[in-house]
Amino acid sequence: MSGPPSPSPGPAPRRAGAPPAPSHLSAETVERARELIALYPEARSALIPLCHLAQEQDGWLRPEAMADIAALVGVTPAEVYGTASFYDMLHTEPVGTHLVSVCTNIACLLGGAAELLEHAETSLGVNVGGTTVDGAITLEEAECLADCDRAPCVQVNHRYVGAQTPESFDRLVADLRTGARADEIPRHGTLVRVRRSVGLRAGRDRVVAERAAMAAAQAARAEEAAAAAAGRKEGSA
Amino acid sequence: MADRDAARPGAGQDAAEATVTFTLDGREVTARKGEMLIAAAERAGTFIPRFCYHPRMSSVGVCRMCLVEVSGPRGATLQPSCFIEATEGAVVDTLSDKVKKAQDGVLEFLLVNHPLDCPVCDKGGECPLQDQTLAYGPGESRFVEEKRHFEKPIPVSELVLLDRERCIQCSRCTRFASEVAGEAQIDFIGRGEEIEVNTFPDLPFSSYFSGNTVQICPVGALTAAPYRFAARPWDLDQVESTCTTCAVGCRVAVQSSANRVTRLLGIDSDPVNHGWLCDKGRFAFEAVNDGDRVTEPMVRIDGELTPVTWHEALERVADGLRSAAADGPEGIGFIGGARLTNEGAYAWTKLAKGVLGTDSVDAQLGDGLPAAAVLGLPRATIDQAATAATVVLLAGDLREELPVLYLRLRSRVVGGDLSLVELSPQATASTPFASVSLRYRPGDAAGLARAMVDDTASLPAGTDPAALAEARRLTGSGPVVVVIGRPSLAEDGRLVAEAARILAEARPDCRFLPALRRGNVLGALDMGMAPGVLPGRVDLDDARAWFAREWDTVPERAGRDTVGMLRSAAGPAAGGSGDPDPTVRVRALVLLGADPTGDLPDARLAGEGLDGAEFVVQVASSTAALSTRADVVLPAAEAHERPGTTTNIEGRVTRLGQKLVPPGQAWPDWMIAAELASHLDADLGLDSLHGVWDEVERLAPAYRGITRSVLEAAGGDGVVAPLATSGVGISRRSVPGPLDPIAFPGVESVERQGAPPRAGFAESPTAVTTAAVATGGEGGAADASGREDGGTEGDGPPARPPLLGVPADLGAPRVPPTDSYTSRLVASRRLYDRGAAVAASPALAALVPEPPVRVNPHDLDDLGVAPGGDVLVRTATASLVAPAVADPSLPRKVVAADFNLPLAGGSIADLIDATAPVTELRLETP
Ligand code: SF4
Ligand code: SF4
Ligand code: FES
Ligand code: FES
């Protein structure tokens, strides 16, 4: 493992204070991160979506980005690292522009996945998990990708590219390298689903309004409860 | 927050009273409602094996070692007893075949990837995995495949190493870091078979509390650098004692081998430390083993300290003191005493005040608070602070000064049970979780306190009215405890004490916890080591008659404090600083462990004072702390080398254990005082350690009833002085039970207290009876029993003097108004500084930081200096150039720096003027 560069050399600062301003994430990413954080009652709930945002910016989760995320959601960098390293789709070590996943689960195995993977290793000149020297392709072995009827199943940057033979695989790799399929397969990290499903389409105003309504309702309930408690106390006195 | 405050009292009581009854292995057992099965079973005498469960942390149920069979509607099922509550009518089986099979299976599973390198593992011999495998595990493993491999071991910090192969993923260390310390710098990285504990790349586990993870790790995965391969557990000998590195007084097990301390482990004292220690307390023992110890009495001959016999040295001291007292006993001053035991402190006080007749004795080195305030304000216990509605922090950064007190309060605050109101000139480690942080400029503490209790008082400039309103609301009702210390060493302690006095006057139910950090400083004050007081928290004038009955003499009038003694010794010539009482100049100084040139905030005054004194005696244990001005040096025993008692910030008296023989000719301090008295042709009347304590108990009013047998019966938790009024009796240890060897592995027996008697020092302990405890516990009863105190009753003996009360006037100096060019200095403390304990402990010395000067960002802007650039800091008498960073937490015109730390460009102690109420300075470009 090539040790990720140090985000802040030397021991952690002892003195508490305002968290350091994000220094690695771009202004645009930070802006979107803040919008995401606003969606949750607890800032740290936005941790995983923020990891995706950072991965979109850099193609993988750099330590500097994790340190920024930690400051944004109010946890330690170690906690961000711990969470991110749990998930296969968050990469805490560098990956190529294209992450090629070959499924070797049962249906694909029967459909020739082992042979395909062996071919991929030879033709790319890397082992599973490795990245080609030009940084274009990272080869990954995957469990069932839920596309078993088109075995052996391959995904590039989590987009299905259909069943592959050794020959079609080589064409696919060539196309990825030339950018011929850049329209349908953007570079690794690019978000589609995460962006859509986290509700940013709802608009900031609506989110703010809904949160205010929620807070009001909570306060009202708390007040009711307090009043009831006071009533009980008087009753018993 | 308001809801939480309102809800507290009722909720707590209900929970304490409600119980449930269930069946445990065929017996009826009663548990507290909400108690986990594992804890209820333990209290009932049934030990259920466990790894991840820890009585002081949240349950997570991850290791599955504690599975028991619980019968329910769906039949008997295996459930983790650390993760389910005891419920009414439950039927629990901890011994069934199914349970045994489960335990066997869990252990076999845990051992699949365990390297089994016990022969070279530090934990071997005290390892819960080893022990529980033997007791509950499989005889044999069926796993023949390759185990996982990691580099072993890797450092996660300067002090802690991690062997990931040995880790069983119990999450005790990560839970400790995030829950207890609040510094989650280690976490589980990866998943499944790749999971490991680790830090963020290049961001070490730099918590002050990292050593606790080593202690609670149930395997040998985490090891402490100073203990690695130092000993085998079965070769260690243990004594129970109290840490006196700071004044929290955490309970410790001191373990040694071959007359060297090998390690310290935390013991769970329910009222104090809950088993935790800070790394300074845990690792500073290296200083005791250190070679740089003073081992023989020395006298300065032709400028060189030359070893002599005790007799010669004491003769020399006696001569020097006699001639210094030629104009009157006030010619002699005693500085220091916080490192003494209570017995040592009493003996020295008796020598100074009762034989020599000088009241110029001060255990505080200009960095404390007036004794009248510390001893007179109603005292809180740590538990009272933790369970109050609001704690007001008017002290330095607790994490830096009293680390485990910080832990105790922090856990309550983040748990939502306690509100924190912080009054401080700068942000501290407590700021992120304080409800309100009121910033003030040095000198404004009393004004701010006044504004908090009086709506009509004028606000100190720059006070945020909204924050003040919130502070008023939080302190307006419910129990309030004020933690009072020194937010800045460059602000006269009387100003802070005056703030406390104002709060005490306005809120008579307010209690106070003194945040004084030096070892046994509270014990020394209790033993009378401050001007104007006598042993037992009594006023000199009130108690004169009482002590005159037994002592040769009692000082005529109140003496000088440390700053006063040094000013007087320096003489009118030095720095033009006049002595408030010039009639009798201080000519001889006795330094009790203290080298004021390192410890006094004002380095110039310390130097001038020592230079001006004609005769300087230093009682010391480490050569590193020796003053170059000492004429005679007397070698003293250190912590772990002497039995006795100590008193913590709460006034809790606990017993110290002796594990080592003092090096060379070093003596325990009380003995030095007693011998010196005989060279002064007096008899201190103290000829054994127990004899000293008996006299303290008999004469010192606040210690009335705290007899040796009461202390012995109280065990490790000790008793809080004074017994009668504190309302705190002898607490019974509640967590963990005596059955839990897994909570703090390595602590041989928490109940054992065995200071082995040293010939000539200790008597055989008197028989302990529970009756003695009962009498002592009620305190008042001891008085009422009419026990005889002296032989003079028939002549109408003087009445026992009253304990000090809230002082009416502390003589706080007036703070001069300021102009817009002048800044004020804040000098704060860090845990690892250049003090002797850290310097002589290699593991800690490497951690001493070199922080820059801190300035409000606007002030830095105005100067045109970029953050990190150099600034010139100039006072009336001194100046230094140092790098400065912007600190937005500081008010305008406040400059902060850390005391007793390396600073590029000089030392902050050169700037501090201890004789001024605040230290004023100009900030300029160099
Ligand atoms: S290092 Fe020790 S305490 Fe931490 S998870 Fe592993 S076994 Fe548990
Ligand atoms: S907090 Fe104080 S008493 Fe406790 S371990 Fe640390 S130095 Fe020792
Ligand atoms: S087995 Fe390959 S996609 Fe399901
Ligand atoms: S699961 Fe109960 S002790 Fe670990």
Side-chain angles (χ1 to χ4, degrees):
Chain A
M1 158 184 155
S2 63
S6 155
S8 88
R14 293 279 192 203
R15 189 163 295 277
S23 54
H24 174 75
L25 295 179
S26 70
E28 194 216 331
T29 308
V30 171
E31 160 83 24
R32 284 175 54 200
R34 295 224 159 94
E35 284 173 349
L36 277 171
I37 291 169
L39 295 174
Y40 298 91
E42 300 269 352
R44 68 181 294 165
S45 308
L47 205 164
I48 291 175
L50 258 54
C51 288
H52 282 294
L53 283 186
Q55 190 159 276
E56 180 171 45
Q57 176 184 308
D58 296 331
W60 63 289
L61 253 184
R62 309 185 71 95
E64 302 90 323
M66 288 193 270
D68 279 0
I69 293 169
L72 282 165
V73 302
V75 301
T76 63
E79 286 171 306
V80 177
Y81 186 35
T83 305
S85 62
F86 185 89
Y87 295 100
D88 284 342
M89 286 172 73
L90 295 172
H91 295 266
T92 55
E93 283 177 43
V95 289
T97 327
H98 295 100
L99 178 68
V100 175
S101 318
V102 178
C103 168
T104 53
N105 217 302
I106 185 75
C108 295
L109 200 63
L110 296 171
E115 293 78 6
L116 178 65
L117 195 61
E118 205 182 313
H119 170 78
E121 287 189 326
T122 323
S123 69
L124 292 172
V126 298
N127 290 328
V128 167
T131 302
T132 55
V133 273
D134 62 355
I137 312 282
T138 298
L139 182 64
E140 181 185 72
E141 183 179 352
E143 297 304 326
C144 178
L145 296 167
D147 203 18
C148 320
D149 57 327
R150 288 188 287 166
C153 166
V154 173
Q155 280 189 337
V156 178
N157 294 345
H158 307 296
R159 274 111 182 135
Y160 290 115
V161 292
Q164 298 291 325
T165 62
E167 296 72 36
S168 70
F169 183 85
D170 289 346
R171 278 197 303 279
L172 170 67
V173 169
D175 286 349
L176 292 175
R177 283 198 159 120
T178 58
R181 301 184 70 168
D183 286 354
E184 46 170 322
I185 308 176
R187 74 183 186 93
H188 180 251
T190 307
L191 301 172
V192 177
R193 197 160 295 187
V194 173
R195 266 204 210 173
R196 206 190 306 135
S197 62
V198 292
L200 279 187
R201 295 234 165 133
R204 196 178 166 74
D205 294 345
R206 185 170 142 204
V207 172
V208 169
E210 277 179 7
R211 292 195 66 184
M214 197 167 79
Q218 273 172 353
R221 272 202 303 279
E223 230 162 70
E224 261 170 44
R232 270 202 307 281
K233 214 171 181 183
E234 265 164 36
S236 65
Chain B
M1 207 166 290
D3 307 348
R4 184 214 307 155
D5 292 350
R8 180 182 305 101
Q13 276 155 23
D14 289 348
E17 279 154 22
T19 58
V20 295
T21 307
F22 68 102
T23 310
L24 180 70
D25 297 333
R27 292 182 292 148
E28 288 259 294
V29 165
T30 306
R32 302 188 189 107
K33 199 166 182 340
E35 194 173 16
M36 293 297 168
L37 261 183
I38 197 170
E42 189 169 316
R43 286 198 303 115
T46 297
F47 179 77
I48 301 171
R50 76 282 303 267
F51 290 110
C52 67
Y53 171 78
H54 192 282
R56 292 296 185 186
M57 299 193 291
S58 64
S59 282
V60 285
V62 297
C63 75
R64 317 311 272 186
M65 188 62 215
C66 66
L67 291 174
V68 295
E69 224 179 321
V70 182
S71 306
R74 288 182 300 153
T77 51
L78 285 175
Q79 304 202 26
S81 59
C82 74
F83 208 61
I84 56 168
E85 294 174 4
T87 46
E88 187 65 41
V91 179
V92 179
D93 195 338
T94 71
L95 301 166
S96 69
D97 289 345
K98 213 177 186 177
V99 169
K100 286 188 178 145
K101 185 147 189 283
Q103 290 168 343
D104 197 274
V106 167
L107 282 165
E108 186 180 1
F109 189 63
L110 285 177
L111 294 177
V112 157
N113 268 318
H114 197 76
L116 292 177
D117 51 359
C118 311
V120 293
C121 177
D122 271 333
K123 207 77 166 191
E126 59 183 25
C127 174
L129 181 60
Q130 223 177 28
D131 294 348
Q132 296 192 128
T133 301
L134 262 170
Y136 307 95
E140 223 168 292
S141 171
R142 287 168 289 172
F143 188 80
V144 292
E145 291 78 4
E146 181 77 5
K147 299 186 183 220
R148 62 185 200 146
H149 289 296
F150 285 107
E151 184 191 336
K152 32 189 318 151
I154 54 166
V156 289
S157 76
E158 302 266 354
L159 296 168
V160 179
L161 292 103
L162 168 65
D163 181 330
R164 290 164 291 179
E165 291 181 349
R166 293 179 186 152
C167 170
I168 57 166
Q169 290 86 44
C170 70
S171 83
R172 279 183 168 197
C173 58
T174 52
R175 260 180 296 155
F176 175 84
S178 72
E179 272 177 26
V180 182
E183 298 165 302
Q185 295 154 345
I186 46 172
D187 203 351
F188 283 124
I189 307 299
R191 189 189 65 207
E193 60 155 8
E194 275 162 17
I195 198 166
E196 56 177 292
V197 171
N198 216 327
T199 63
F200 191 68
D202 297 329
L203 208 58
F205 181 31
S206 60
S207 166
Y208 286 157
F209 305 100
S210 64
N212 292 298
T213 61
V214 175
Q215 189 176 339
I216 59 177
C217 178
V219 295
L222 293 167
T223 46
Y227 177 72
R228 278 176 67 76
F229 308 124
R232 297 308 259 166
W234 50 84
D235 290 334
L236 293 177
D237 209 9
Q238 170 186 315
V239 69
E240 192 175 324
S241 190
T242 298
C243 175
T244 50
T245 306
C246 87
V248 173
C250 300
R251 205 63 187 155
V252 291
V254 183
Q255 303 189 335
S256 74
S257 137
N259 207 38
R260 291 174 68 81
V261 178
T262 356
R263 65 173 175 183
L264 258 61
L265 295 176
I267 286 181
D268 193 314
S269 171
D270 191 48
V272 184
N273 63 325
H274 291 187
W276 312 131
L277 301 180
C278 72
D279 287 353
K280 186 174 179 182
R282 187 181 296 272
F283 298 120
F285 69 82
E286 288 183 291
V288 179
N289 293 338
D290 183 58
D292 290 340
R293 288 289 302 276
V294 184
T295 54
E296 342 169 70
M298 291 184 284
V299 168
R300 197 172 293 278
I301 301 173
D302 299 331
E304 285 293 315
L305 282 176
T306 312
V308 295
T309 63
W310 267 107
H311 178 81
E312 286 171 88
L314 291 175
E315 274 299 305
R316 178 85 176 74
V317 175
D319 287 348
L321 295 186
R322 270 197 208 98
S323 64
D327 304 333
E330 291 87 353
I332 309 170
F334 289 76
I335 294 178
R339 53 159 286 282
L340 307 178
T341 58
N342 286 337
E343 288 83 351
Y346 178 81
W348 278 103
T349 303
K350 190 173 180 185
L351 177 74
K353 300 193 175 182
V355 171
L356 294 164
T358 172
D359 188 53
S360 293
V361 179
D362 196 353
Q364 305 190 86
L365 301 169
D367 58 352
L369 294 167
V374 176
L375 302 180
L377 291 167
R379 192 79 66 91
T381 61
I382 295 174
D383 273 345
Q384 282 169 339
T387 55
T390 301
V391 161
V392 178
L393 279 184
L394 178 57
D397 192 332
L398 289 189
R399 190 171 65 179
E400 308 285 343
E401 300 199 354
L402 300 165
V404 169
L405 175 63
Y406 164 84
L407 284 194
R408 288 287 316 269
L409 295 182
R410 181 196 167 274
S411 70
R412 296 290 298 181
V413 177
V414 298
D417 302 309
L418 176 66
S419 302
L420 214 58
V421 173
E422 183 185 58
L423 275 49
S424 162
Q426 61 180 334
T428 69
S430 308
T431 305
F433 49 85
S435 302
V436 191
S437 279
L438 280 167
R439 296 278 166 261
Y440 76 90
R441 288 186 80 202
D444 289 346
L448 192 55
R450 171 89 54 214
M452 271 180 64
V453 296
D454 176 0
D455 325 341
T456 61
S458 61
L459 298 194
T463 308
D464 173 2
L468 182 68
E470 179 65 0
R472 277 191 192 144
R473 189 184 70 76
L474 289 170
T475 52
S477 62
V480 175
V481 169
V482 183
V483 178
I484 164 126
R486 286 290 290 273
S488 165
L489 297 176
E491 176 185 23
D492 193 310
R494 285 171 296 180
L495 293 169
V496 192
E498 175 66 11
R501 202 191 59 77
I502 290 168
L503 295 175
E505 248 173 20
R507 288 284 312 270
D509 57 334
C510 218
R511 287 183 163 269
F512 295 81
L513 194 57
L516 301 178
R517 59 190 274 289
R518 281 172 199 285
N520 190 27
V521 65
L522 275 307
L525 294 181
D526 278 358
M527 294 302 121
M529 300 200 83
V533 298
L534 286 174
R537 299 190 196 164
V538 290
D539 179 77
L540 173 66
D541 295 325
D542 293 349
R544 184 171 288 110
W546 172 261
F547 279 93
R549 255 182 347 157
E550 301 243 359
W551 288 6
D552 294 353
T553 175
V554 179
E556 289 300 317
R557 51 189 179 136
R560 302 177 173 96
D561 64 4
T562 295
V563 170
M565 283 183 250
L566 289 168
R567 282 175 79 177
S568 168
S577 47
D579 187 353
D581 170 22
T583 44
V584 182
R585 197 167 85 81
V586 171
R587 291 164 57 190
L589 284 173
V590 180
L591 310 179
L592 296 171
D595 176 10
T597 46
D599 291 329
L600 196 86
D602 184 338
R604 197 170 60 99
L605 175 64
E608 287 171 359
L610 288 183
D611 285 344
E614 288 160 19
F615 184 60
V616 178
V617 182
Q618 189 174 17
V619 182
S621 53
S622 152
T623 53
L626 281 190
S627 166
T628 50
R629 274 291 297 110
D631 295 299
V632 184
V633 173
L634 304 177
E638 252 303 342
H640 318 311
E641 295 169 352
R642 45 182 195 188
T645 61
T646 185
T647 300
N648 79 346
I649 49 173
E650 314 163 275
R652 181 179 305 279
V653 186
T654 52
R655 296 193 301 160
L656 298 165
Q658 181 188 357
K659 198 71 217 71
L660 308 180
V661 179
Q665 303 179 40
W667 284 356
D669 297 274
W670 72 266
M671 223 167 126
I672 303 177
E675 284 297 316
L676 179 54
S678 70
H679 285 260
L680 287 160
D681 306 321
D683 182 3
L684 221 43
L686 305 173
D687 47 22
S688 76
L689 184 75
H690 290 170
V692 183
W693 189 254
D694 293 343
E695 184 165 320
V696 169
E697 190 273 328
R698 184 159 47 86
L699 290 185
Y703 283 65
R704 178 82 175 138
I706 307 182
T707 58
R708 280 185 282 137
S709 43
V710 163
L711 278 177
E712 181 145 351
D717 291 348
V719 288
V720 174
L723 284 178
T725 55
S726 70
V728 179
I730 296 167
S731 58
R732 276 278 125 236
R733 195 186 298 275
S734 58
V735 196
L739 273 174
D740 187 355
I742 310 295
F744 296 99
V747 179
E748 200 178 298
S749 155
V750 291
E751 295 295 347
R752 185 173 141 204
Q753 161 83 43
R758 248 186 97 204
F761 292 105
E763 297 155 10
S764 59
T766 50
V768 192
T769 62
T770 40
V773 181
T775 318
E778 286 153 25
D783 275 350
S785 70
R787 232 160 14 113
E788 190 32 50
D789 293 305
T792 53
E793 185 160 58
D795 322 329
R800 190 181 296 278
L803 299 186
L804 285 160
V806 178
D809 177 21
L810 288 162
R814 214 183 60 84
V815 182
T818 174
D819 63 50
S820 59
Y821 303 107
T822 309
S823 292
R824 286 186 182 159
L825 179 66
V826 172
S828 43
R829 289 266 191 195
R830 295 284 190 111
L831 188 63
Y832 304 138
D833 60 12
R834 287 188 295 197
V838 172
S841 303
L844 298 179
L847 300 174
V848 174
E850 190 174 328
V853 165
R854 300 178 294 281
V855 180
N856 176 289
H858 299 291
D859 291 348
L860 207 56
D861 256 7
D862 289 355
L863 267 188
V865 172
D870 280 351
V871 293
L872 171 68
V873 185
R874 183 197 301 283
T875 66
T877 52
S879 70
L880 62 82
V881 177
V885 293
D887 181 347
S889 84
L890 289 172
R892 294 296 301 261
K893 299 291 171 199
V894 171
V895 175
D898 295 297
F899 181 72
N900 207 9
L901 283 184
L903 177 71
S907 162
I908 206 69
D910 296 336
L911 297 186
I912 300 173
D913 180 357
T915 59
V918 291
T919 296
E920 309 220 294
L921 47 82
R922 294 285 177 95
L923 209 54
E924 293 163 13
T925 43

